Every structure is written in C-alpha cells, then in structure tokens.
Amino acid sequence: MLITVLDFQIFSDGKNNMNSDGYSEFKKTLEANGLTLHPALERKNVGGVWGMYATAPIACGTVLARCPRSALITLGDTVYPEGTSVSAKNIHRLTRLRQTSAEPLHQCFSQMFEPLEQLRDYSTYFCDEAELRALWELSPASADLVGYDQVRKRALVNAIRSFDSELDENLLLETMLNYTSRAVGDVGIVPMLDLFNHSDTHGRMFIIGEDRIEVQAHVDIAAGEQAFISYGRLDVLDHAVSYNYFDPSNESFLRFGRRETFPLNDVGRQLQNRLSQHYKTKEDDLLKRPLFYFADDRLLLSAKGPTQALMQFFIDFGMRANENRPPQQIMAETMMAWLDALSKNNHVGKHKSNPLPKRLERFYAVLQREQEIVNAARRWLTS
C-alpha cells in the first residue's frame, strides 16, 4: 500500500526518521552497552513508514532484540515527593539527563524520539476546542477520551515541574509525549526495542526478566518482511490517542474498561465490591469526580466476537439477586445494551466523507472500525 504524507498519521506509528548515519551511530553506542539486535534485521523506510525488516528468514521464537537492565536509565539518588508516580519519576530523570548529560548512552535514550515540531502535527495533546468539537460531532465518547488524556498529561507535566522548575519546558513536553507512547510498563524507555512497529497478530509483547528486556519473533518472518512487536490488545481508541496512529490492517479491539466508567457512589461501590473479586478494578479522581473502571485486559470485543472473559463478565454484570433467567440470556441482553450504547455514541455513519481536522483524521477510520466491530457483534448475538 502506498502511504501518502496525508495518510501518515492514520497508518504509521510515526517513528522518528533519523538518517542512516545517525541510526548507525545510535546502534553502535547501544551495542557497546550490551544491546543485541538480530543480524538479519535492518531499519528501512517503506512507503513513508520506518520499520524493522528482515534481510533473511527469521524463525518464530528467535530473539529479535535484547537489552540488559544494566543499560537502562535508573532514577539515581533523586528524592521525589511522596506519591510521585513511576512515570513522573522516569520522565523527570530522562528529561534531566537529556538536558545535562553528554554521555552517549544517555543521549541514545532519546535520539530516536519524535521531535516536538513533528508531534504538534498529529498528537491529540495539542488539539484545541474547535478540533474537539469537530470530533464530538462524530463521537462524544472519543472527544471525552481525548480531553481526559490531555488533562492527565498536563497534570503529569505540572507534577514534574512542581519539584523541578529548572527543566526546559519544551524538552520536558517532548520527553513526556514520547515516553507515554514508547515506555515499556514501569521499565521505561528501552532504546531500539521501541523502534519496532505494532501488530497484535504478528508481534509479541516484551519479555521482561530480572536481567534483561527482550522481544522474540511471534511468527516466522520471511526475508523482506517487517518484524513487529505488540503493544498489547488495547482499545482501538488507545492506538489513536496514546500512539498517534491507526493501522486498519491490524486486528482491532474494543475494551470494556476503556469505554465504561462508574461513579463511586453507593450504587457504584456495591457494583465494585460485587465484581472486584473476579475482575481487576481501578479508581480514578483526576477530574475531581471519583469513579472506577474495570482494568481487566481480558474484557475484549473484536470483529471475531467477545472473549470468554467478556461473555462471563456480562453474565456477572447483568445478574441480579435471585435471578431466574438463563445465563446465556443475561449475557446476550447485557451485551446488546452495551452495543446499543456504543452505536448511539458513534455518528460516523451519518458522514460520507471525513469531516475532521487534519490532526484528528485517523479517528474517522477508527470510528468506522468501531462500527464494524459493533455490527459484527450484533450479528454474532443474533445468529
């Protein structure tokens, strides 16, 4: 597929397009510090998108890249205020090193970062009210998610600046935006491994050991094919918001916990207490409205249908005391109510063309995919 400049934000992870000489020096520095990259891998730009490609066949299970923990950035002896999140600590440390350290290894942690000027073109962090209103016309839920993500990231930046006001503001913002789209859990940035693009079908999650972080081939990779990693089975909106792209060739998911939140009032507390023994929940009061959601990554819906965990969840969620209905009926009725709510929130079918501002163009394709998944689920339920 030929990917035009206009389509770049829709289909690409948007990895920085460092030139070949810069990448070569970057790779040498990392290898000198213990990182290993499979010799049959090279970084190439295909159709305007950078990725890691095989120059010879690579068998499933082969280690594609490995980074020792000893090469990762540590927090040092910095004393942080009580309650500072792991992400805030890691972003602060990385920004401080980028600003003050000339060590080649430290500079490697951000050499492949997307520059702030590039991020301004497609990161939803920079969306203004007019852009959010345009997205709201297509999907209020999507606009809310973008707005919440902006608040969360601004709070993260403000928290860091509250204990280190000497950081360069633009450098901190650039570091934060790259960190939130590249970090490996609480481990932080793992240089080189974050240059692989995502595919849930063809990629594998990072393997995190006591002494190393590595990624293995999830499938056999033929010469000339791209090698992928997986960011996990995230909601399709997470890719559009957190990773700044949408690739329609990947399998897509709707994640119940990403879509639905519940107020922590008396009724909400009862629901949380009733289901939290079987499904992970998480509380949040960032918007000064205490709520909780189901942070269980098993609760997924794709075009192939719901996971077993999601079907059981709908039974548990919809069941009332002394319930006499068959579990299958409870599941179907509860799931259909959710699908109805998703459909009510998705207005993309009313627009024959993409009416969104450039920075949000990918959301049109995302909402079309969401609609496809919902329609497939309806067919599955009624078949």
Side-chain angles (χ1 to χ4, degrees):
M1 178 187 297
L2 178 64
I3 301 178
T4 65
V5 174
L6 179 63
D7 292 331
F8 181 78
Q9 63 159 318
I10 299 176
F11 299 106
S12 168
D13 287 32
K15 304 303 186 192
N16 184 295
N17 57 350
M18 175 186 281
N19 61 40
S20 297
D21 291 340
Y23 171 73
S24 178
E25 290 303 311
F26 165 82
K27 184 169 172 283
K28 285 179 182 178
T29 300
L30 291 174
E31 289 176 334
N33 285 275
L35 181 135
T36 57
L37 181 70
H38 193 283
L41 283 173
E42 66 174 352
R43 184 167 177 267
K44 289 198 319 183
N45 186 316
V46 177
V49 181
W50 289 92
M52 304 297 285
Y53 287 80
T55 59
I58 299 176
C60 175
T62 302
V63 174
L64 299 177
R66 176 184 291 131
C67 181
R69 279 185 175 269
S70 59
L72 299 178
I73 286 178
T74 62
L75 297 179
D77 57 1
T78 304
V79 177
Y80 291 97
E82 184 178 355
T84 303
S85 69
V86 173
S87 294
K89 293 176 183 178
N90 286 336
I91 293 168
H92 170 260
R93 176 64 169 164
L94 181 53
T95 307
R96 173 56 62 185
L97 288 173
R98 292 183 71 196
Q99 187 167 318
T100 62
S101 175
E103 287 290 328
L105 178 60
H106 292 161
Q107 294 304 312
C108 267
F109 276 76
S110 61
Q111 270 184 290
M112 306 301 285
F113 275 8
E114 297 161 82
L116 193 57
E117 312 84 70
Q118 183 174 312
L119 287 163
R120 290 184 189 279
D121 289 337
Y122 52 77
S123 172
T124 57
Y125 179 83
F126 298 103
C127 287
D128 58 27
E129 289 187 11
E131 289 170 307
L132 289 178
R133 281 197 299 271
L135 181 57
W136 180 273
E137 292 296 319
L138 283 187
S139 170
S142 298
D144 283 344
L145 182 61
V146 171
Y148 174 82
D149 186 72
Q150 289 178 329
V151 171
R152 180 176 63 84
K153 288 175 177 173
R154 286 168 186 156
L156 186 57
V157 169
N158 290 337
I160 294 170
R161 286 193 57 78
S162 70
F163 58 76
D164 191 347
S165 60
E166 295 181 359
L167 290 178
D168 179 272
E169 291 186 36
N170 286 335
L171 192 64
L172 172 58
L173 184 56
E174 182 181 272
T175 303
M176 182 275 292
L177 290 173
N178 276 278
Y179 182 92
T180 53
S181 68
R182 291 170 178 259
V184 181
D186 290 342
V187 172
I189 298 293
V190 185
M192 188 66 76
L193 277 68
D194 66 345
L195 296 185
F196 290 82
N197 290 325
H198 163 85
S199 169
D200 184 68
T201 304
H202 298 99
R204 177 172 285 165
M205 290 286 288
F206 292 96
I207 297 171
I208 303 176
E210 292 185 5
D211 60 345
R212 89 270 182 231
I213 316 296
E214 70 180 32
V215 63
Q216 299 176 358
H218 186 53
V219 297
D220 291 336
I221 306 170
E225 288 185 340
Q226 186 172 179
F228 292 96
I229 62 171
S230 172
Y231 304 160
R233 294 184 168 186
L234 304 175
D235 191 282
V236 65
L237 282 174
D238 279 319
H239 288 286
V241 175
S242 301
Y243 298 97
N244 305 314
Y245 83 105
F246 171 63
D247 185 347
S249 68
N250 283 329
E251 184 176 9
S252 301
F253 300 91
L254 306 185
R255 188 167 168 172
F256 185 86
R258 201 67 174 97
R259 300 303 182 115
E260 306 299 331
T261 59
F262 303 88
L264 278 170
N265 52 25
D266 290 342
V267 175
R269 284 289 184 193
Q270 291 175 10
L271 177 66
Q272 183 184 36
N273 292 337
R274 181 163 66 89
L275 296 180
S276 60
Q277 292 183 357
H278 303 288
Y279 307 98
K280 181 181 178 181
T281 66
K282 190 171 182 179
E283 298 184 7
D284 189 349
D285 65 350
L286 182 62
L287 299 179
K288 308 305 180 185
R289 296 194 301 270
L291 55 83
F292 84 95
Y293 58 93
F294 290 93
D296 194 314
D297 58 11
R298 302 171 301 159
L299 307 182
L300 299 168
L301 178 67
S302 73
K304 298 176 182 178
T307 59
Q308 288 292 328
L310 184 60
M311 287 190 284
Q312 183 60 51
F313 173 81
F314 281 131
I315 294 172
D316 297 336
F317 184 87
M319 186 174 291
R320 300 294 180 261
N322 303 315
E323 183 70 74
N324 294 319
R325 289 179 300 161
Q328 187 68 18
Q329 181 184 350
I330 296 173
M331 184 277 293
E333 291 179 1
T334 309
M335 182 174 171
M336 188 62 79
W338 185 51
L339 297 176
D340 289 343
L342 291 173
S343 294
K344 187 177 181 180
N345 233 305
N346 188 330
H347 307 148
V348 72
K350 299 178 182 178
H351 301 267
K352 294 182 179 180
S353 60
N354 190 343
L356 292 170
K358 183 176 181 180
R359 188 152 38 210
L360 293 169
E361 283 176 341
R362 59 186 177 272
F363 282 86
Y364 187 80
V366 167
L367 292 168
Q368 287 181 315
R369 176 60 55 84
E370 177 188 297
Q371 190 176 57
E372 291 169 4
I373 294 172
V374 169
N375 290 339
R378 289 185 188 280
R379 292 191 295 271
W380 177 84
L381 274 176
T382 56
S383 63

